[in-house]
Amino acid sequence: MSRVSPAVRSLLRQPYSSQWRKTPVLRSSQAWIKPAYQPIRCLATPAAMPSASKENIGVYCNPAHDLWVKESGPSVNEVKSGEALKEGEVTIAIKSTGICGSDIHFWRHGRIGPMVVEHDHILGHESAGEIIAVHPSVKNLSVGDRVAVEPSSICNKCEPCLTGRYNGCLEMRFMSTPPVDGLLRRYVNHSAIWCHKIGEMSYEDGAMLEPLSVSLAGMHRAQIALGDPVLICGAGPIGLMTLLCCAAAGAEPIVITDIDQNRLDVAKEICPRVKTYKVEPGVSMEEAGAAMSKLAGGSLTTALECSGVESSIAAAIYSVKFGGKVFVIGVGKPDMQIPFMRLSTQEIDLQFQYRYANTWPRAIRLVQSGILDMKRLVTHRFDLEDAVSAFETSAASAKTGAIKVLIQSP
């Protein structure tokens, strides 16, 4: 037999298995070698084999506004074998997921603007969990890593992607936004590049990084600075998260509004120096705006609108002074009426936000360092099997006092 290299000789000695395939003729330094068997890349490395024991289940809604929990993919057998993993993917055992207002909208109304629930659809996009399987192509994550999941998938080719504003990707696939299924499952396969290590951070805090990212994106684009007088409209989860961020950034004074006194009390609890304004029925937009401005000493330069409610946006426009800014973080109905002449004659800038980009590393640093403490915002916890009750609790927040409801899968 002609001399062959040690590498080829080792290859020829390897036993055949079902994971091997025939390769084209190999050439050594002196001779052609007959076809041999070469292992393909395993879908999951042996060290990555998970100990998944429970069946995968997910939380579904449909166009008829039903909500239920049933079996979901990937199956527990696929998780154990790794056969469903694609290049660049990992399997995450989801441990904690927050219910977002958009989840409630998709369930109750079946749509948000052009995003319509047309089939059975899995909800959820605020999640954290543990890596339990890794495709061999993934080098930055290992089994056992604790991660927060950024629920995006982008093309990396369009102008928004190439300029770093990937939240505007022309081919964005955002988990839980129809037709892309969400994260409210026991196991999920996702691209490793969107899984952010959180170290010893709790899974609850990891799940809260997604709404925190929304607030951080708004803070960044609205350019909130030390000593800026700020109005925050809406004391829901995003509004309260934005309050924490504004306080940490040194904004002063800060005014926050809501129709729910309980939420304003929570705002005062997490930021004692905030000034609160309860929006009462029958008060005009002009009157509400003037009252908010008065609370801030007549100096409001920026309003961060976190509710998406038409009347709240209008009141914010009436609250800021000449040359001010109203920055809309909240999501509302497709068409609205706004006080155009107030904007025009007072040179008020009206800006909007869509999700976030490049915020997760910053969010992780802020939470890990203790600069932001989001724990008070979590009011209710449910097991994954009881997700329907969790959604009902979140949707009835005026009665239940819910702020952020988390669904857990131990």
Side-chain angles (χ1 to χ4, degrees):
M1 178 177 179
S2 302
R3 277 184 19 187
V4 297
S5 69
V8 175
R9 185 179 298 114
S10 173
L11 178 64
L12 290 173
R13 288 173 179 170
Q14 294 181 23
Y16 175 81
S17 80
S18 60
Q19 290 183 332
W20 293 27
R21 66 183 178 193
K22 283 192 174 183
T23 61
V25 173
L26 299 178
R27 186 177 183 180
S28 72
S29 58
Q30 295 185 358
W32 286 94
I33 305 299
K34 294 180 180 180
Y37 290 97
Q38 172 181 307
I40 63 170
R41 283 181 169 178
C42 298
L43 293 172
T45 61
M49 289 296 107
S51 57
S53 57
K54 297 181 179 180
E55 290 297 326
N56 197 5
I57 55 175
V59 182
Y60 291 78
C61 68
N62 64 14
H65 313 299
D66 299 317
L67 185 72
W68 72 100
V69 178
K70 73 168 184 178
E71 187 175 334
S72 177
S75 70
V76 67
N77 288 333
E78 289 175 328
V79 172
K80 287 180 177 179
S81 68
E83 64 187 33
L85 276 178
K86 300 175 183 176
E87 185 172 356
E89 287 188 339
V90 296
T91 301
I92 311 125
I94 300 295
K95 300 297 185 181
S96 186
T97 300
I99 297 177
C100 176
S102 65
D103 295 318
I104 302 295
H105 273 281
F106 285 132
W107 163 39
R108 286 281 185 86
H109 307 291
R111 68 184 303 155
I112 297 177
M115 298 166 282
V116 182
V117 176
E118 297 180 338
H119 310 283
D120 290 358
H121 177 66
I122 301 176
L123 298 165
H125 58 266
E126 304 176 0
S127 297
E130 179 185 5
I131 302 295
I132 59 172
V134 179
H135 189 278
S137 61
V138 175
K139 306 302 180 185
N140 63 318
L141 291 173
S142 302
V143 170
D145 283 343
R146 301 160 67 91
V147 297
V149 184
E150 185 170 352
S152 304
S153 178
I154 62 174
C155 72
N156 276 313
K157 298 176 182 177
C158 66
E159 181 178 341
C161 286
L162 296 177
T163 55
R165 300 183 65 183
Y166 59 81
N167 53 316
C169 174
L170 301 179
E171 298 179 24
M172 169 68 77
R173 291 177 57 81
F174 192 88
M175 303 185 80
S176 83
T177 297
V180 184
D181 282 333
L183 292 168
L184 260 173
R185 288 176 268 178
R186 186 167 278 131
Y187 314 115
V188 174
N189 293 340
H190 194 49
S191 294
I193 60 171
W194 300 113
C195 295
H196 303 273
K197 293 182 184 180
I198 59 174
E200 295 305 310
M201 183 189 300
S202 71
Y203 291 123
E204 287 194 358
D205 278 347
M208 296 284 277
L209 293 174
E210 200 279 342
L212 175 56
S213 284
V214 174
S215 295
L216 289 177
M219 291 279 296
H220 178 71
R221 291 198 59 226
Q223 299 181 318
I224 303 300
L226 191 69
D228 280 353
V230 174
L231 169 69
I232 300 169
C233 297
I238 297 298
L240 293 173
M241 200 81 74
T242 301
L243 171 61
L244 288 173
C245 292
C246 286
E252 176 63 26
I254 307 174
V255 178
I256 192 167
T257 74
D258 206 273
I259 60 174
D260 186 338
Q261 185 59 50
N262 175 63
R263 291 191 168 191
L264 293 176
D265 292 342
V266 173
K268 198 74 174 174
E269 183 181 336
I270 64 175
C271 181
R273 64 184 173 89
V274 72
K275 302 177 189 296
T276 62
Y277 177 80
K278 187 171 186 291
V279 180
E280 300 289 355
V283 177
S284 71
M285 301 176 295
E286 295 89 342
E287 292 172 322
M292 297 167 192
S293 176
K294 185 177 179 180
L295 270 178
S299 62
L300 283 172
T301 57
T302 305
L304 300 173
E305 210 298 312
C306 299
S307 73
V309 175
E310 180 179 308
S311 59
S312 180
I313 296 172
I317 291 170
Y318 281 106
S319 74
V320 296
K321 64 183 185 180
F322 184 91
K325 177 188 298 181
V326 175
F327 190 91
V328 183
I329 298 174
V331 176
K333 61 185 183 180
D335 300 298
M336 297 186 186
Q337 290 185 332
I338 59 172
F340 173 81
M341 286 308 297
R342 167 72 181 181
L343 290 167
S344 177
T345 61
Q346 297 299 301
E347 291 192 359
I348 296 169
D349 294 334
L350 182 60
Q351 290 183 265
F352 297 87
Q353 173 181 331
Y354 189 54
R355 296 176 181 151
Y356 41 72
N358 308 304
T359 53
W360 293 72
R362 181 179 302 183
I364 291 169
R365 290 194 298 270
L366 289 169
V367 176
Q368 286 181 333
S369 66
I371 292 174
L372 296 181
D373 185 350
M374 306 177 290
K375 294 178 178 61
R376 176 62 183 88
L377 305 188
V378 179
T379 55
H380 297 77
R381 298 168 178 85
F382 292 84
D383 289 338
L384 180 59
E385 292 82 354
D386 300 322
V388 173
S389 295
F391 271 77
E392 291 171 345
T393 299
S394 183
S397 59
K399 294 181 179 179
T400 63
I403 296 176
K404 180 56 70 175
V405 177
L406 293 180
I407 296 174
Q408 301 171 322
S409 180

